[in-house]
Amino acid sequence: GELQIRKQQQLVNLHLISLRSMGISRVDVCDDDEDYSHITDVDLAGNLLSDWTTHVFPLFQKFPNLTTLSLASNRIQDFVVSSSQQQLCYPKLQILNLNNCGITTFSTILQISKVMPNLEELCLAYANLSDMTDHLLDHGGNKNDDFDGFFRKLKLLDCTKCQLASWDIQVTKFVGSLPNLQHLILNDNAISSIKSVAASSKEEEEGTNNSNTNDFFPSLAAIQLSGTSIGSWMDLEGLQSLPKLTNLRIRNTPITSSMGTGEVRSIIIARFPNLQMLNGSTISSKERLEAERRYVSNVARDLLLMFGGTTNNDGDDADKEAETQKKQQQFLSQHPQFDRLRETHHDTMMLVHGTSSFGSGGGITTTSGTKSFTTNVVLNVTIQSMAASSCSVEPLTKRLPCTLTIGRLKLLCRKAFGLDVDLQTLHFKNSTEDDPFPTELDNDANSLAYYGVCDGSTIYMNEINLKAQQQQQQQMQKEKQLQMEKQEQAIEALQQHQRSNNIQTQQATLISSLQVQQQQQQK
C-alpha cells in the first residue's frame, strides 16, 4: 500500500493537473531542469489569470505537450498580437475552455485560430461576439483573409450567450464553412430564425460572393438552440437544409414555451424526419410513427375544418374560389412535411377523414369531386377474447366508428366478455398486414383511427396476469434499487478518486515548490 501511494506521489506519473479556484494570479516559469512533457491536461478554471502574454503562453513553455487547457472563469483580457508574437503557434492544443472569461471582441477568436490552429473543441460561453460582422468581410465586401485556415479541425464550438442575433449573417458565415464541425451550441442567443443554407447561399450569390450550399455545415450533426428567440415552426425549418443533422436540443423558446413538453416533442419529431436524438433522448421508431400519425391527422383536421365547407357549385364566384385556393396553399406551406406524411400514413388519413384526399394544388376533394368533411367512418371489426375465462365465447362482429376511443372499446369488451376494464389489454391486427405480431392499443384516450385500425381488422382482448404483473413490478423495483446502489457506489468511487487526485495535485505542487526552493538555495 505504501509503495503504491509513493508511486502515485511521483510527479513524473501525473498527466493532469487541476488547480481550480486556487486564487492563482500569475504564472512563473522557473529555469529548472524538471521535465514536464508528460503533463497533457491543465485545469486552471476559477483563478485570477488575466494576460495572454504573461499568464497563458508561459504554460505552453512549461508544458510542451499540453492538449487540454481550461481557463474558464478567469479574467482573461482580449488578445492583441504584438510584432514579436506573430510567429507564436501551439499546434498540440486540442481543447480550450474560455467560458466566462470576459472576451469582448471577435478579433480575439481570430487570433486564437492562428496561434492554436488544431483546436478540436472551443468553449466561448458568455463572450461578446456581437462585433463579428465587422471582421467577417473586408472593405471590398469579400471574405476576410483572416479566415483562411480558420479552425479547420474544430469539432465542437460552444457559443452560449455570445450576443449573436443573426443566423445567416453571423452563424452561417462564422461557423458554416468549418469542414469538421459536428456539435454547435448556440443557447441563450437572440437568434429568431434559422434560414436554410440554400437561402443564405442565394443571398450571397446575388451579392458580392459566390457560394455553394455544400460548403455550409458539411459535418454538423448536433445543435443546441435552447433559450433562443425562435417564435414559430417555420423559423426552425432551415434546419432541414443541414445534411447531417441528427441531434437537436431546444427548450425555453417562445415556440416551445407556448405548449406542453410532450406536444413540442411530438411536433418536432414529425417535422424533422432525420432527427435521431431530441433533447438528449433517443427517438424510437414507435415514437416517430405515433408522432407522425398524430401530426398528419391534426393538420388534415385543421385543413378540413378551415376549407371543408366550401363546395364547387357552378355558381361559385371565381375570385372567391381563387382566394380559397390561395389560403389553402398558404396553410400547407406552413407544413412542408404534410404531403410526404400524407402518403406514408394514407390508411390513417382515410380512416380519420373518410374518402377525402388532398390534391397537389391544395384542394380538398372526394371521389365524387365535391368538397366535404367526413368523420363518421364505420369499421367492420371482429373482437375476440383470449382471456381464460371467456376464450370459449364466440367472437363479436361489430360496426364501430373510427373515432371510438380505446377506453370506450374496453367498456364494450367488459359488457360482452365480463372482464373488468382494469384487467384488459387490447391488441389488433389488420387483415392486409403481413406482420405476425399484433399492435397494442396502449392508450385509452386514442381512437381506433389513431392506431390505423382498418375495416376487417381483428381486435384481441387479453387478461392481465396480476400476479405476474406484481412480480414484474417487484423485479423492476429490485433492479431500480440495485441500479441506484451501483450509482451511489460509482459516485462514491468518483469522489474518492477526485479527493485522491486533489491530494496528488497538492503533493505535486508541494514537491515542485520544494524543488524550486532547493534550487534557489543552491544558487
Side-chain angles (χ1 to χ4, degrees):
E2 182 180 354
L3 293 177
Q4 291 294 328
I5 294 175
R6 288 185 177 277
K7 184 178 179 180
Q8 292 296 324
Q9 290 176 343
Q10 301 305 308
L11 189 61
V12 70
N13 294 321
L14 291 178
H15 298 284
L16 181 151
I17 295 178
S18 178
L19 298 170
R20 298 173 67 93
S21 303
M22 300 291 289
I24 299 172
S25 60
R26 69 179 188 274
V27 176
D28 297 327
V29 180
C30 302
D31 296 329
D32 57 26
D33 297 329
E34 192 71 35
D35 181 17
Y36 298 103
S37 59
H38 52 282
I39 302 296
T40 59
D41 190 333
V42 174
D43 185 356
L44 294 172
N47 284 290
L48 305 175
L49 305 178
S50 61
D51 186 76
W52 288 91
T53 303
T54 60
H55 296 162
V56 179
F57 295 148
L59 293 171
F60 296 96
Q61 300 176 27
K62 201 66 178 175
F63 309 110
N65 292 323
L66 197 61
T67 60
T68 302
L69 176 61
S70 176
L71 299 171
S73 300
N74 277 272
R75 302 175 179 179
I76 304 295
Q77 299 173 356
D78 287 309
F79 185 13
V80 179
V81 180
S82 62
S83 57
S84 62
Q85 296 174 327
Q86 292 290 340
Q87 302 302 320
L88 283 177
C89 186
Y90 304 109
K92 294 184 179 181
L93 191 68
Q94 298 176 357
I95 301 174
L96 178 62
N97 186 347
L98 295 174
N99 286 343
N100 197 29
C101 281
I103 294 174
T104 61
T105 175
F106 185 72
S107 176
T108 297
I109 312 306
L110 288 176
Q111 299 303 329
I112 291 174
S113 71
K114 296 177 181 179
V115 175
M116 306 166 187
N118 295 327
L119 283 180
E120 295 182 3
E121 296 184 14
L122 177 60
C123 300
L124 302 172
Y126 299 95
N128 184 352
L129 305 183
S130 58
D131 67 339
M132 181 187 299
T133 52
D134 298 335
H135 301 275
L136 289 171
L137 304 178
D138 59 21
H139 296 294
N142 298 311
K143 195 170 184 179
N144 197 321
D145 292 338
D146 288 340
F147 280 87
D148 293 338
F150 183 73
F151 291 131
R152 308 302 292 174
K153 296 185 178 181
L154 199 66
K155 296 180 181 180
L156 181 147
L157 179 62
D158 185 355
C159 289
T160 298
K161 207 167 187 179
C162 284
Q163 301 188 33
L164 303 178
S166 172
W167 171 267
D168 53 323
I169 295 177
Q170 295 177 317
V171 178
T172 300
K173 293 182 179 179
F174 170 32
V175 299
S177 59
L178 299 182
N180 293 301
L181 187 67
Q182 300 174 7
H183 194 156
L184 177 60
I185 304 173
L186 295 172
N187 297 334
D188 299 319
N189 285 288
I191 297 172
S192 59
S193 177
I194 309 295
K195 279 194 175 183
S196 69
V197 169
S200 299
S201 177
K202 183 177 180 180
E203 289 181 2
E204 288 199 1
E205 288 177 356
E206 293 174 351
T208 57
N209 299 311
N210 293 323
S211 299
N212 190 328
T213 57
N214 295 326
D215 295 337
F216 293 104
F217 305 103
S219 303
L220 189 64
I223 190 169
Q224 297 186 31
L225 297 169
S226 298
T228 56
S229 300
I230 304 295
S232 72
W233 294 117
M234 290 306 295
D235 290 335
L236 205 59
E237 196 63 27
L239 294 178
Q240 301 279 13
S241 64
L242 304 181
K244 294 187 177 181
L245 186 68
T246 59
N247 190 335
L248 172 66
R249 285 180 180 267
I250 180 168
R251 290 190 176 96
N252 301 324
T253 66
I255 184 62
T256 58
S257 299
S258 60
M259 56 187 70
T261 303
E263 184 180 5
V264 169
R265 182 176 177 85
S266 178
I267 293 175
I268 292 177
I269 291 173
R271 293 185 71 109
F272 296 93
N274 295 327
L275 285 183
Q276 299 174 9
M277 293 277 293
L278 177 59
N279 290 333
S281 178
T282 302
I283 301 172
S284 66
S285 56
K286 179 181 179 181
E287 183 180 21
R288 177 167 293 282
L289 177 65
E290 292 184 353
E292 289 179 351
R293 282 179 174 176
R294 186 181 300 111
Y295 177 79
V296 74
S297 297
N298 289 341
V299 174
R301 182 193 65 240
D302 293 343
L303 185 60
L304 288 168
L305 286 173
M306 291 173 65
F307 307 107
T310 308
T311 60
N312 282 332
N313 297 329
D314 295 337
D316 283 353
D317 184 78
D319 293 338
K320 186 176 180 180
E321 179 67 19
E323 182 65 22
T324 300
Q325 290 290 337
K326 181 179 179 181
K327 290 181 179 179
Q328 290 179 9
Q329 291 287 0
Q330 291 175 346
F331 178 84
L332 290 174
S333 68
Q334 301 297 312
H335 303 277
Q337 297 296 321
F338 177 72
D339 284 338
R340 179 185 65 82
L341 295 177
R342 174 175 58 86
E343 295 299 327
T344 302
H345 304 286
H346 180 265
D347 291 343
T348 301
M349 288 286 296
M350 292 294 289
L351 287 171
V352 178
H353 304 290
T355 57
S356 297
S357 62
F358 297 82
S360 60
I364 310 170
T365 61
T366 65
T367 53
S368 63
T370 60
K371 297 185 177 183
S372 64
F373 179 38
T374 306
T375 58
N376 297 321
V377 179
V378 178
L379 306 174
N380 292 303
V381 299
T382 300
I383 306 175
Q384 183 174 350
S385 173
M386 307 299 289
S389 60
S390 57
C391 60
S392 60
V393 178
E394 288 294 324
L396 296 178
T397 300
K398 289 286 186 179
R399 289 172 56 83
L400 304 176
C402 69
T403 55
L404 184 72
T405 64
I406 306 305
R408 297 293 299 274
L409 178 61
K410 286 184 176 181
L411 292 175
L412 178 63
C413 291
R414 183 184 67 178
K415 183 177 180 181
F417 300 112
L419 184 63
D420 192 82
V421 170
D422 295 333
L423 299 178
Q424 295 180 27
T425 175
L426 301 181
H427 296 74
F428 83 96
K429 187 176 183 299
N430 287 331
S431 58
T432 58
E433 292 183 354
D434 296 330
D435 188 356
F437 300 103
T439 302
E440 184 178 3
L441 305 174
D442 55 0
N443 191 327
D444 289 357
N446 290 334
S447 66
L448 295 175
Y450 172 82
Y451 288 103
V453 179
C454 298
D455 194 62
S457 297
T458 301
I459 297 175
Y460 301 98
M461 184 199 75
N462 284 281
E463 182 177 0
I464 297 175
N465 189 329
L466 290 179
K467 185 176 180 180
Q469 189 180 50
Q470 291 174 355
Q471 292 177 348
Q472 184 179 10
Q473 291 176 349
Q474 291 174 357
Q475 182 63 27
M476 291 176 61
Q477 187 67 25
K478 290 180 180 179
E479 292 177 356
K480 183 178 179 180
Q481 184 65 29
L482 182 61
Q483 185 178 8
M484 291 177 62
E485 291 176 357
K486 289 182 178 180
Q487 290 177 349
E488 291 176 355
Q489 292 174 0
I491 292 173
E492 177 62 27
L494 179 60
Q495 292 175 344
Q496 182 65 28
H497 180 67
Q498 291 176 341
R499 287 193 292 268
S500 177
N501 283 342
N502 291 336
I503 293 173
Q504 293 176 20
T505 302
Q506 293 173 1
Q507 291 173 342
T509 304
L510 180 59
I511 293 172
S512 179
S513 300
L514 291 174
Q515 290 174 346
V516 172
Q517 292 177 5
Q518 289 175 358
Q519 291 174 358
Q520 291 176 348
Q521 290 174 358
Q522 290 175 0
K523 291 180 180 180

